[in-house]
Amino acid sequence: MNNTTNQELPKQYEPTTAQEKWSRFWDEKKLFQINLTPPQTNITTNIADDPARVADDPAHVANDPAHVVNDPAHVVSDPAHVVNDPARVVGDSALYGKILDNVVKGVGIVDQDCAQVDLQKPDSSCVKLDSICPKSSCGDSQHRRLKGAFCVVIPPPNVTGALHLGHALNNTLQDIIVRMKRMQGFNTLWIPGVDHAGIATQAVVERRLFEQEKLTRHDIGREALVKKIWNWKEKYQARIIEQLKALGCSCDWSRTRFTLDDVCAKAVRHFFFRLFQDDLIYRGKRLVNWDTFLQTAVSDDEVTHETVAGHFWYIKYPVVNPKRNEPEFVIVATTRPETLLGDTAVAVHPDPEAALNKVIDDLRSRIADAPEKEKAELESELEKVVLRKTSGVLANLTTLAEMAKDGRKVLLPLAQREIPLIADTWAKPDKGTGCVKITPAHDPNDYEVGKRNGLPMINILNKDGTLNKEAGSYEGLKIKDARLKVIDDLTQNGLMHDTEERTIELAHSDRSKTPIEPLLNDQWFVKMESLAQSAINTVNNGEIKIIPERYTKGYIDWLAEKRDWPIGRQLWWGHRIPIWYCKNTTESELKQAFANREDIAYKWDEAGQVWWICSRDEELPSAIKGHTLVQEEDVLDTWFSSALWTHSTLGWPNQTPELETFYPTGVLITNRDILTLWVARMVLAGKFNTGKIPFHEVYIHPKILDKYGEGMSKSKGNGVDPVSVAAKFGTDALRFALAYLTTENQDIRLALDFECPHCNAIVEQTKQNRVLPKIKCPKCQKHFRTQWAEREDDLQLPEGVMVGERFETARNFCNKLWNAARFVLLTLNSNSNSADNTPDNTPDNTPDKKQPDKQDSKQHIVYRTKNELTAELLEDKWILSRLATVTRDVSQMFETYRYADAMRLLYDFSWDEFCSFYLEIVKSRLSDVRQNNFASFMLLFVLCDLVKLLHPVVPFVTEEIWQRLREVDSGLEESVAVAAWPVANETAINPQIEEQFKIFQEILRAIRDTRASRNIPPKTEISFCVKCSEVVSKLMKPMEAYFLTMARAKVTGWGESQKAPLLAATVPLAGMDIYVDLSELMDVSAEIEKLEKEMSKLDGFIKSKQTKLNSDFTQKAPPAIVEKERQSLNDLQNQYNSAKNAIEKLKQI
RNA sequence: GGGCGAUUAGCUCAGUUGGUUAGAGCGUCUGGUUUACACCCAGAAGGUCGGCGGUUCGAGCCCGUCAUCGCCCACCA
């Protein structure tokens, strides 16, 4: 035995060491780095077209395959090079092609493409990318479209915190595509990075500052806070990148970007500047969602509505000088009484009767169409509205409408201000009291009413959420306190008409979790009309494809609203808006100061009576003599910078080689919640800045849910650290499980529990314990920490990792693969010691070979295959056919993001077909000196392709295996990460062979079943014969040995004339009867019982088939289907008869 | 209010354009130290595919409807 590592191969795959080792290896070899200097040569150029290179490197001419084999350094001397030059990868695959060629020729199937792979001329069929990745395996024209380059930009994780399983999923799915593309020979770049996540990050740091030091940002100031946030960012960026690396992501880490770094900042400035120049930026007083905790406006998308218990307060507004027959009070209902201090009108509908009638009509027609269960509710609603007509409400409103038209006023309670009663259609006679208070500065709808009616807008709030001087005696109170006081005062003044308890939907800031106050504020906007339209068009005309398609509608609908984009945030963490204000200057002064300056634009703001100066490149504190320019305090919305991510990361606005080569990128893989916020904006920004789409495809992946079906989030505490899962099961298992669960329309539900590190008991994760920093194991009563542990003493505890069934399955798969490889390696190794037994071991005559050494004889044993190899055995043809099918389908599935399908196929093929059948079959050949070399070649051949196909999903275990295989076959590429992706040999696909092999599987199963059900001891050898057609017997005869090794059953005969021995178990199958000789093991009555059961089952099927065939079916169904049914019936009847005959025979005993 | 998705074995999920007897993993049961793997091997049991109606020779799949669950968007004095 050679003293190789094979003997050291552990029985179980050890993920931790492999992960560390190969991460470092990939990093050191720079396998994922793209180097565009010196300038990229045309990567589709064939190596043979470049004489200099061919001359330089004879190995690539490959007139001697042994040469290639002998000198691995030559083959892949520079992995980075390989990545850049697919022609080289193809060069290597020529050897592979030759092997395949030999095998295939032997099988009698000649692959047109592969037959052309003549080692003398490696370029003949391996010139273009298409030849290593033919259409058939790649689906569409994507490759040509991308012209040989393929790029993915990572959806940059927020630096708010560490990654959770959702990120693990997102990045695994990206890595799968990226690794496959790289192996396919694309010039592949995956750009990593992180997002500064303005509001979210500042909120986290501010909250922490307050918790730990009881300080607010105003206490420490802008500079100090920003510094603190940078520190936070550095910490979490490092953590995130570390996590991504641990996940095996094959990013080019040398290109890591941050949305707030200089490169991105430059892109942001240029984008803003161009928008400004194109007059797409404006500023206006708008009602914004004010977060009183963070003291910034947040966009609608950052607001969530929560149902809370609240009240309706009915407040009496006294009418000023009421006339006779006029009401003394106007009553309005509100959920926010304190806002009355900012009221500037009370509205009533101008024609309440008509409005009410319309409501009634609408309701009636809705009731007519409504489903039964909703009718009752609608009807009671209708009743209430109708009642208004008769109960005096309508009469009252009509009077008020007249008063409004008369210009009458009401007295605003508490403030003692007179405000007009106005007629406006916003007031709905069917709702509340029919009258509504108008607070233009604090309610979006009222704001519109205010504008329509020229009402004053009184802002009663300070930015910190306290009331300002407009609130008079309430000044300085917080909203909550003011509300209580207002209610109290109203009650005391007898102006509180009524209160009603009610649940209301209250807007909350998603970031600070505090209630949102609508507030009138200055705000920067981007006009969306034209930008949104361009983003709609690219999807409508198919330039960008959204997968799954159903998400397209949401994208289009959102953009179609064309709501202007509020881009300002009153934060300190972010890109500061590049606008400077200057009040006391003139246009001519500006012209003079900025003569010939392309990077400066300015505009007079009428409303603010100030010049806006926008600078693309430089800071402008003293750009104009004698004037100080003041920069806008606000920063830009985070999405403003992430919208540029696809091109800013490639160096835009500079026309870099990267931008040239990799833009547009290939696919964007992301989460559905940010389809609009991020994806849509990337599309419009990409089009606006570069004129091109940012990516060809958008793949939206499922969401990870916990066992309760809830999405994972920090606030719920149910987020799971992928590193913790990987620590327990291995990264590959994590990746495998996630990919396996990624189906088209189902979210991924993962039931995870803690494993006690002390006693290994499973501690269920509950809504209670999932937020705790440490948990006490109910079994051993000891504590363990969770991912939330922060305190020093908690951190001392051992961690309770998260475990889940899905990960176990995936880990088991990795281990299975590992052991299959281990087995193949063991056989290869043992064969190398008795290597003189096969015709395919022709001595080599290359110069290198003249000094043979041990190492060499081992390494070449399998590949010294100059003579034709003959794969004439059914099982070899079968596995080659299956491999080709799987290769084709897996490629196609990954290309179309059908991850789960691909994983299932790979799982089943690896486990059931390769391991359970093929490996087991081959075992009996391995002990035969005439067959063992070819058999082990076959094993290696299939294993190599399988390892490659699995590599994108499980990179570590496959690399580990690959490197072991390289010890046996130095012709393999330096890393599986840059190995050539397998090409399906379509001509090896043979449905007939697969069908025939099924017969073998059926017989084997029948025998195993017979053994198991009769309790025949495993060591007892049994014998059987099969009554079948000559075709089947010819096919099965060569496989006799396998029944012995796989079921310890000896075949005594095949064919039409076979008869059951006296004491036999009969298994009737379609087209054949199997007779298992049971002799002394026989229990006659049990056999009869078994057969009777079988007969009644068959009888059921037969009857249903007969019914079917006696119906219209034969007339209306396609003939092929009918024929199939007839055949099936025939088989069933034969089986039935066989069982019947067998019973009769048994009864005679 | 508008939109989307789901409902299949005890559990978690697959199920191609409708076509033999609906699959997998885990769990359960039976039996196992076979030249890799007990994170394993062999075998078994377990389903009126949420309900009802329709289209069809034929429905888990298509249409309608009801029920339940989840998500997203919008609005609410």
Side-chain angles (χ1 to χ4, degrees):
Chain A
M1 267 297 207
N2 275 322
N3 183 22
T4 70
T5 50
N6 293 338
Q7 286 160 346
E8 303 154 16
L9 293 185
K11 282 189 167 190
Q12 282 185 5
Y13 168 61
E14 288 159 5
T16 320
T17 48
Q19 283 158 208
E20 273 171 31
K21 188 167 42 171
W22 302 120
S23 280
R24 209 176 330 114
F25 176 78
W26 295 329
D27 224 33
E28 282 166 5
K29 300 283 177 182
K30 300 185 169 36
L31 294 187
F32 310 137
Q33 279 194 28
I34 290 293
N35 186 5
L36 288 181
T37 47
Q40 175 79 352
T41 52
N42 183 352
I43 62 110
T44 57
T45 306
N46 174 21
I47 184 85
D49 290 341
D50 182 352
R53 283 211 194 176
V54 175
D56 276 345
D57 190 352
H60 276 90
V61 182
N63 44 27
D64 181 0
H67 199 110
V68 177
V69 173
N70 281 341
D71 189 354
H74 257 96
V75 178
V76 190
S77 53
D78 177 2
H81 210 119
V82 170
V83 173
N84 282 341
D85 188 353
R88 293 214 177 188
V89 178
V90 178
D92 298 336
S93 77
L95 171 69
Y96 222 75
K98 176 66 180 167
I99 295 159
L100 179 65
D101 193 26
N102 284 335
V103 169
V104 163
K105 269 181 199 157
V107 184
I109 316 160
V110 176
D111 178 346
Q112 287 294 325
D113 287 325
C114 287
Q116 289 168 16
V117 182
D118 183 337
L119 295 187
Q120 302 295 328
K121 291 178 258 165
D123 49 314
S124 62
S125 72
C126 302
V127 179
K128 292 174 190 157
L129 286 168
D130 281 1
S131 73
I132 60 159
C133 192
K135 248 193 190 162
S136 54
S137 72
C138 294
D140 63 7
S141 57
Q142 194 179 37
H143 295 176
R144 264 157 285 146
R145 187 175 74 205
L146 291 168
K147 294 183 188 125
F150 184 80
C151 180
V152 168
V153 290
I154 199 170
N158 291 348
V159 287
T160 37
L163 302 187
H164 54 70
L165 274 181
H167 294 103
L169 173 72
N170 175 254
N171 289 292
T172 296
L173 299 182
Q174 291 175 80
D175 198 38
I176 289 171
I177 301 297
V178 165
R179 282 183 184 266
M180 178 180 70
K181 291 284 178 182
R182 187 181 294 115
M183 290 172 76
Q184 284 174 344
F186 285 85
N187 189 19
T188 304
L189 170 62
W190 182 12
I191 303 178
V194 289
D195 194 308
H196 69 282
I199 295 181
T201 314
Q202 184 170 325
V204 168
V205 175
E206 273 194 70
R207 202 177 310 152
R208 217 180 151 79
L209 178 70
F210 191 76
E211 277 166 14
Q212 295 184 341
E213 302 174 44
K214 295 278 173 272
L215 294 173
T216 70
R217 71 171 179 200
H218 303 287
D219 297 327
I220 66 169
R222 187 164 191 153
E223 204 179 321
L225 184 83
V226 169
K227 201 176 157 199
K228 271 187 187 295
I229 306 175
W230 270 104
N231 287 340
W232 176 277
K233 173 260 172 188
E234 294 301 343
K235 184 176 156 195
Y236 277 95
Q237 173 168 340
R239 172 99 185 266
I240 288 165
I241 298 296
E242 189 190 313
Q243 282 180 305
L244 289 173
K245 282 186 177 172
L247 273 169
C249 295
S250 61
C251 302
D252 182 348
W253 303 108
S254 69
R255 293 171 187 275
T256 304
R257 290 258 73 87
F258 173 50
T259 52
L260 214 52
D261 68 18
D262 291 345
V263 174
C264 292
K266 185 173 179 186
V268 163
R269 285 285 199 87
H270 275 249
F271 181 37
F272 189 94
F273 184 77
R274 282 203 53 205
L275 289 170
F276 187 84
Q277 272 187 317
D278 285 9
D279 213 18
L280 292 174
I281 298 242
Y282 68 92
R283 194 175 197 214
K285 271 212 184 300
R286 286 299 152 98
L287 212 81
V288 295
N289 303 304
W290 191 256
D291 181 325
T292 55
F293 178 81
L294 292 166
Q295 302 192 26
T296 177
V298 296
S299 71
D300 291 348
D301 314 304
E302 291 157 333
V303 173
T304 53
H305 294 270
E306 284 169 39
T307 308
V308 295
H311 296 87
F312 261 175
W313 283 278
Y314 292 85
I315 304 170
K316 298 198 271 195
Y317 286 43
V319 174
V320 176
N321 303 324
K323 295 178 186 162
R324 265 190 314 142
N325 302 330
E326 282 184 356
E328 270 179 63
F329 298 101
V330 178
I331 299 169
V332 297
T334 180
T335 55
R336 300 168 63 214
E338 72 283 2
T339 60
L340 74 77
L341 299 166
D343 283 1
T344 53
V346 168
V348 61
H349 196 281
D351 187 354
E353 185 166 16
L356 212 52
N357 284 337
K358 183 160 187 313
V359 170
I360 290 167
D361 287 350
D362 287 352
L363 266 175
R364 284 195 173 131
S365 72
R366 266 176 61 198
I367 288 170
D369 298 340
E372 212 48 57
K373 65 164 184 178
E374 282 167 28
K375 272 189 181 158
E377 201 181 321
L378 285 171
E379 264 158 15
S380 91
E381 201 180 311
L382 176 66
E383 213 171 293
K384 278 184 202 157
V385 178
V386 172
L387 196 64
R388 293 196 167 209
K389 288 179 80 169
T390 53
S391 66
V393 174
L394 177 59
N396 183 41
L397 288 176
T398 311
T399 313
L400 289 172
E402 288 306 317
M403 291 164 67
K405 284 168 200 163
D406 226 23
R408 304 292 298 281
K409 298 196 166 182
V410 293
L411 188 66
L412 184 62
L414 310 181
Q416 304 300 328
R417 232 177 27 233
E418 285 190 9
I419 55 172
L421 184 63
I422 60 166
D424 191 287
T425 52
W426 165 243
K428 309 287 182 220
D430 56 308
K431 290 192 172 166
T433 59
C435 297
V436 61
K437 65 198 250 340
I438 303 298
T439 324
H442 296 287
D443 180 284
N445 293 305
D446 293 3
Y447 176 70
E448 294 302 321
V449 176
K451 275 210 305 192
R452 261 203 303 274
N453 293 279
L455 299 174
M457 305 193 178
I458 303 173
N459 178 13
I460 58 163
L461 275 182
N462 290 315
K463 304 262 156 115
D464 63 357
T466 58
L467 271 57
N468 63 20
K469 63 176 188 299
E470 295 287 351
S473 63
Y474 300 90
E475 184 182 358
L477 291 177
K478 285 189 175 169
I479 291 164
K480 239 173 133 181
D481 301 329
R483 176 174 302 170
L484 294 175
K485 189 162 188 297
V486 164
I487 292 164
D488 198 40
D489 291 348
L490 285 171
T491 312
Q492 291 201 2
N493 291 333
L495 294 172
M496 188 63 83
H497 175 74
D498 197 6
T499 63
E500 189 184 310
E501 288 197 11
R502 183 148 180 185
T503 60
I504 51 172
E505 296 279 310
L506 194 58
H508 281 74
S509 165
D510 196 33
R511 296 305 170 190
S512 67
K513 308 297 170 197
T514 53
I516 285 291
E517 298 299 332
L519 181 70
L520 204 61
N521 200 27
D522 284 325
Q523 182 66 280
W524 291 97
F525 288 90
V526 174
K527 289 181 194 162
M528 287 297 281
E529 175 70 36
S530 61
L531 293 170
Q533 192 57 50
S534 77
I536 291 172
N537 294 347
T538 52
V539 168
N540 274 341
N541 67 19
E543 269 187 277
I544 296 178
K545 202 172 144 196
I546 298 176
I547 303 160
E549 212 192 332
R550 65 172 183 280
Y551 292 114
T552 308
K553 191 175 156 39
Y555 170 95
I556 301 275
D557 288 352
W558 186 81
L559 281 170
E561 289 185 32
K562 295 181 178 173
R563 276 190 291 189
D564 287 348
W565 178 10
I567 49 168
R569 294 291 182 276
Q570 292 67 41
L571 298 173
W572 293 347
W573 177 241
H575 293 279
R576 201 145 157 201
I577 292 178
I579 293 268
W580 280 259
Y581 298 105
C582 190
K583 266 192 191 294
N584 311 311
T585 190
T586 60
E587 188 157 12
S588 61
E589 258 184 323
L590 287 163
K591 264 187 186 155
Q592 202 182 346
F594 301 123
N596 303 320
R597 288 284 295 271
E598 280 183 358
D599 61 328
I600 301 285
Y602 41 84
K603 201 162 135 185
W604 172 249
D605 172 40
E606 190 60 41
Q609 294 291 301
V610 67
W611 283 98
W612 293 342
I613 305 163
C614 182
S615 167
R616 195 185 66 195
D617 300 320
E618 62 169 303
E619 307 293 305
L620 296 176
S622 52
I624 308 170
K625 250 184 235 160
H627 296 293
T628 309
L629 274 57
V630 181
Q631 189 176 1
E632 167 62 56
E633 290 280 318
D634 286 6
V635 299
L636 288 160
D637 178 15
T638 299
W639 301 111
F640 194 90
S641 54
S642 29
L644 313 182
W645 192 242
T646 52
H647 50 290
S648 63
T649 50
L650 291 167
W652 185 88
N654 298 344
Q655 282 301 312
T656 59
E658 285 83 352
L659 196 64
E660 199 76 36
T661 309
F662 294 108
Y663 191 88
T665 65
V667 60
L668 181 86
I669 297 182
T670 189
N671 199 307
R672 64 170 170 262
D673 328 329
I674 51 178
L675 181 63
T676 51
L677 301 179
W678 188 43
V679 180
R681 280 162 183 165
M682 265 198 290
V683 175
L684 63 88
K687 287 285 280 182
F688 182 76
N689 285 337
T690 71
K692 292 189 213 158
I693 53 170
F695 29 67
H696 293 99
E697 292 179 333
V698 178
Y699 174 70
I700 303 290
H701 62 69
K703 204 171 184 163
I704 300 213
L705 309 175
D706 68 4
K707 71 173 99 175
Y708 305 103
E710 295 175 0
M712 290 191 175
S713 76
K714 222 178 190 146
S715 53
K716 280 184 202 145
N718 57 353
V720 172
D721 182 357
V723 174
S724 153
V725 175
K728 167 82 182 171
F729 298 101
T731 302
D732 288 331
L734 169 67
R735 294 170 56 118
F736 189 99
L738 293 175
Y740 192 88
L741 293 167
T742 300
T743 52
E744 193 191 304
N745 44 21
Q746 188 94 294
D747 283 336
I748 298 174
R749 200 141 154 198
L750 279 176
L752 293 172
D753 296 301
F754 299 102
E755 185 184 67
C756 171
H758 307 287
C759 67
N760 291 338
I762 300 298
V763 181
E764 199 193 336
Q765 188 193 35
T766 61
K767 288 188 182 184
Q768 285 74 46
N769 69 19
R770 70 189 184 188
V771 292
L772 303 175
K774 66 175 174 186
I775 293 171
K776 187 174 174 185
C777 171
K779 197 176 157 200
C780 68
Q781 306 295 318
K782 287 182 188 160
H783 282 96
F784 56 85
R785 77 179 152 95
T786 71
Q787 59 173 324
W788 308 121
E790 276 190 358
R791 281 171 38 193
E792 208 45 52
D793 49 339
D794 290 343
L795 287 167
Q796 296 299 315
L797 296 166
E799 185 182 5
V801 294
M802 303 301 298
V803 296
E805 177 210 315
R806 295 305 198 146
F807 297 125
E808 271 175 47
T809 307
R811 177 201 53 194
N812 295 352
F813 176 81
C814 293
N815 194 52
K816 185 76 178 175
L817 181 71
W818 169 248
N819 272 289
R822 192 166 155 252
F823 176 73
V824 173
L825 284 160
L826 286 168
T827 65
L828 289 170
N829 230 24
S830 71
N831 283 2
S832 69
N833 278 338
S834 53
D836 50 359
N837 56 18
T838 62
D840 56 323
N841 188 31
T842 315
D844 196 85
N845 54 4
T846 62
D848 310 47
K849 227 7 227 183
K850 286 191 176 145
Q851 311 109 9
D853 57 35
K854 258 183 163 176
Q855 200 64 12
D856 267 320
S857 77
K858 185 195 76 176
Q859 288 184 347
H860 301 303
I861 190 66
V862 175
Y863 279 98
R864 244 0 95 72
T865 56
K866 293 237 166 93
N867 298 329
E868 301 296 290
L869 295 175
T870 313
E872 54 195 11
L873 295 172
L874 176 60
E875 65 267 29
D876 289 347
K877 294 193 228 172
W878 170 72
I879 198 73
L880 289 174
S881 173
R882 292 295 306 136
L883 178 65
T885 309
V886 168
T887 302
R888 180 194 61 191
D889 293 350
V890 164
S891 306
Q892 232 162 40
M893 286 163 175
F894 281 148
E895 294 277 350
T896 50
Y897 313 102
R898 285 152 59 209
Y899 293 96
D901 289 345
M903 296 319 292
R904 260 172 192 103
L905 191 54
L906 285 166
Y907 184 96
D908 293 346
F909 175 73
S910 307
W911 202 302
D912 300 338
E913 302 188 310
F914 185 60
C915 291
S916 296
F917 273 94
Y918 195 68
L919 280 186
E920 292 303 323
I921 284 178
V922 165
K923 277 178 184 173
S924 62
R925 280 205 266 162
L926 291 172
S927 56
D928 180 344
V929 288
R930 289 163 307 170
Q931 299 193 67
N932 65 357
N933 243 355
F934 182 72
S936 41
F937 162 69
M938 282 295 299
L939 287 177
L940 178 61
F941 180 80
V942 178
L943 180 65
C944 273
D945 272 11
L946 184 56
V947 162
K948 288 189 201 174
L949 290 172
L950 281 163
H951 178 257
V953 186
V954 284
F956 295 106
V957 66
T958 48
E959 185 72 277
E960 179 74 27
I961 293 169
W962 188 262
Q963 296 299 336
R964 308 275 184 174
L965 292 172
R966 280 189 85 229
E967 291 171 12
V968 181
D969 173 13
S970 56
L972 298 178
E973 291 93 336
E974 184 179 32
S975 162
V976 64
V978 292
W981 185 252
V983 180
N985 179 8
E986 300 274 341
T987 52
I989 297 174
N990 188 334
Q992 200 192 340
I993 292 278
E994 295 190 21
E995 204 51 46
Q996 287 169 342
F997 195 79
K998 272 195 192 134
I999 299 173
F1000 169 75
Q1001 291 173 307
E1002 261 182 275
I1003 300 173
L1004 189 69
R1005 171 183 274 254
I1007 291 171
R1008 284 172 166 173
D1009 180 21
T1010 306
R1011 293 195 73 113
S1013 56
R1014 273 76 170 182
N1015 288 322
I1016 299 172
K1019 286 190 171 160
T1020 308
E1021 186 175 302
I1022 55 170
S1023 59
F1024 71 99
C1025 62
V1026 180
K1027 185 183 167 199
C1028 60
S1029 70
E1030 287 311 310
V1031 179
V1032 173
S1033 74
K1034 208 171 161 190
L1035 211 62
M1036 289 298 123
K1037 221 167 161 29
M1039 308 201 65
E1040 283 181 357
Y1042 309 139
F1043 291 106
L1044 204 55
T1045 52
M1046 296 173 81
R1048 212 172 273 256
K1050 198 176 158 79
V1051 189
T1052 57
W1054 304 92
E1056 306 276 14
S1057 59
Q1058 294 298 321
K1059 290 208 167 63
L1062 187 61
L1063 293 166
T1066 302
V1067 188
L1069 297 177
M1072 62 187 134
D1073 288 340
I1074 295 164
Y1075 307 120
V1076 181
D1077 191 344
L1078 294 178
S1079 48
E1080 70 273 10
L1081 300 159
M1082 184 82 164
D1083 175 342
V1084 176
S1085 60
E1087 287 303 321
I1088 291 174
E1089 201 182 314
K1090 224 171 172 54
L1091 284 163
E1092 277 171 347
K1093 212 173 141 196
E1094 181 68 16
M1095 275 176 71
S1096 83
K1097 199 168 128 198
L1098 287 165
D1099 191 47
F1101 293 142
I1102 288 168
K1103 286 204 171 111
S1104 90
K1105 291 237 181 273
Q1106 280 170 337
T1107 315
K1108 192 170 184 179
L1109 283 162
N1110 286 333
S1111 72
D1112 284 359
F1113 172 72
T1114 47
Q1115 257 79 88
K1116 301 202 175 170
I1121 301 288
V1122 177
E1123 188 41 46
K1124 223 163 136 189
E1125 284 295 294
R1126 288 220 165 96
Q1127 181 59 46
S1128 162
L1129 177 62
N1130 193 32
D1131 284 343
L1132 288 167
Q1133 278 167 336
N1134 286 339
Q1135 288 178 55
Y1136 183 86
N1137 291 335
S1138 298
K1140 202 171 150 195
N1141 292 340
I1143 290 174
E1144 275 162 23
K1145 265 181 83 178
L1146 286 170
K1147 281 185 175 162
Q1148 288 164 16
I1149 292 169

